[in-house]
Amino acid sequence: SVRLPPGPRPFPIIGNILELGTNPHIALTKFSKIYGPLMTFKLGRITTIVISSPQVAKEVLLENGQVLSSRTIPHSVHALDHHIYSTVWLPPSAQWRNLRRVCATKIFSPQLLDSTQILRQQKVKDLLDFVKERCKKGGVVDIGEVVFTTILNSISTTFFSMDLSDSTSEKSHEFMNIIRGIMEEIGRPNVADLFPILRPLDPQRVLARTTNYFKRLLKIIDEIIEERMPSRVSKSDHSKVCKDVLDSLLNDIEETGSLLSRNEML
């Protein structure tokens, strides 16, 4: 049998769920003083190892990253098979290495980030101008809302050269609602994650709602890609200029014959 780190004795079926309570971070801090920086908990039928020390976390993530890279995938992430297309959830493999290469060279490369830096700076300036204007008028500022909008606009301008959080646009309004919905569903406690036998039933309908959000999100992104394609029909050098991340990805596919699929792009 596998020797696991120490931890509290689990109850039958439910494991240690009740012991974590409504403030699991506080409960885990207390348990770490009893069992040390590496602990074992049973969350339903899932065995979970909790690391509460920076030193141990470094040893696990840096020195043994390859061995310990796999993890339990939340049921919600199975929406539209997202878990088999995303670098976040894929195990180390040829597909994962290819996607990682694309991320490193076409999305987060220093050259591309430098070229789009002015766009992100403008979004921060827009945020500051908005807050200053509200302060002059003595208005209330919903910090969470404006930061959320700024981050989405910063990402969308970097990727697609457009604001997808413009409150005057119907598409932007839908995009923001979709992103909020996905964040809520993925972060929602799901009984199907604790008891995998219930996954086919999807008792809380988390997977069903996430799938619907993903379909709507991918439809918007797919439309953006289709709108971009006609402008790239011409093979002039101008069409090869990387104005944003989408251009960079499309250039990579055309120039290197990349096998990157539309699903992987989305």
Side-chain angles (χ1 to χ4, degrees):
S1 61
V2 178
R3 184 179 179 182
L4 296 173
R9 183 185 297 275
F11 290 104
I13 302 178
I14 63 173
N16 304 110
I17 294 176
L18 297 180
E19 294 174 281
L20 295 183
T22 56
N23 294 299
H25 59 296
I26 296 177
L28 291 174
T29 300
K30 293 179 179 178
F31 279 123
S32 69
K33 296 177 181 178
I34 300 173
Y35 299 105
L38 198 62
M39 304 175 287
T40 299
F41 290 84
K42 287 284 287 186
L43 303 181
R45 304 304 302 165
I46 303 298
T47 299
T48 303
I49 308 300
V50 178
I51 301 172
S52 60
S53 162
Q55 292 76 19
V56 177
K58 180 180 180 180
E59 181 179 347
V60 169
L61 298 176
L62 295 182
E63 300 177 17
N64 298 283
Q66 183 74 18
V67 176
L68 301 170
S69 59
S70 297
R71 54 176 166 164
T72 300
I73 301 175
H75 192 217
S76 58
V77 178
H78 285 71
L80 300 186
D81 289 333
H82 178 66
H83 63 296
I84 66 175
Y85 293 114
S86 171
T87 53
V88 176
W89 305 105
L90 279 170
S93 61
Q95 181 188 13
W96 178 81
R97 283 188 286 272
N98 181 48
L99 292 175
R100 187 172 182 271
R101 176 193 64 80
V102 172
C103 287
T105 61
K106 304 300 178 182
I107 298 180
F108 301 116
S109 69
Q111 179 182 2
L112 184 59
L113 291 177
D114 287 345
S115 68
T116 56
Q117 180 180 10
I118 190 171
L119 298 176
R120 294 188 295 278
Q121 291 176 337
Q122 181 60 46
K123 296 310 162 189
V124 175
K125 182 178 182 301
D126 292 343
L127 169 62
L128 295 176
D129 291 343
F130 175 81
V131 173
K132 288 180 182 178
E133 185 65 25
R134 282 300 181 94
C135 289
K136 288 180 181 179
K137 296 180 179 180
V140 176
V141 177
D142 186 335
I143 297 298
E145 179 69 20
V146 296
V147 170
F148 177 74
T149 300
T150 299
I151 291 174
L152 283 187
N153 277 338
S154 179
I155 293 174
S156 64
T157 52
T158 300
F159 276 69
F160 309 117
S161 298
M162 63 172 63
D163 285 347
L164 282 176
S165 299
D166 181 0
S167 59
T168 62
S169 167
E170 183 176 342
K171 177 182 289 188
S172 297
H173 183 69
E174 181 184 9
F175 178 78
M176 293 178 67
N177 287 337
I178 292 171
I179 296 299
R180 285 195 182 93
I182 291 175
M183 292 172 60
E184 290 175 1
E185 295 303 333
I186 291 180
R188 188 189 306 278
N190 187 2
V191 68
D193 289 330
L194 305 179
F195 303 95
I197 195 174
L198 298 177
R199 286 190 170 192
L201 301 177
D202 191 19
Q204 294 173 246
R205 309 304 296 163
V206 172
L207 179 64
R209 289 191 297 271
T210 307
T211 298
N212 180 53
Y213 283 127
F214 271 32
K215 286 180 178 178
R216 292 164 57 191
L217 175 62
L218 297 187
K219 183 175 182 293
I220 291 176
I221 298 177
D222 204 37
E223 289 174 353
I224 294 173
I225 295 175
E226 291 300 323
E227 290 173 0
R228 181 70 59 88
M229 295 304 293
S231 64
R232 299 177 56 84
V233 173
S234 171
K235 298 300 181 180
S236 64
D237 292 338
H238 178 71
S239 68
K240 296 296 183 182
V241 175
C242 295
K243 300 177 182 178
D244 53 31
V245 170
L246 179 55
D247 277 326
S248 181
L249 289 174
L250 293 175
N251 286 349
D252 181 61
I253 292 174
E254 293 176 5
E255 295 171 0
T256 67
S258 171
L259 298 178
L260 196 67
S261 69
R262 179 65 66 90
N263 284 333
E264 289 171 327
M265 283 186 62
L266 296 175

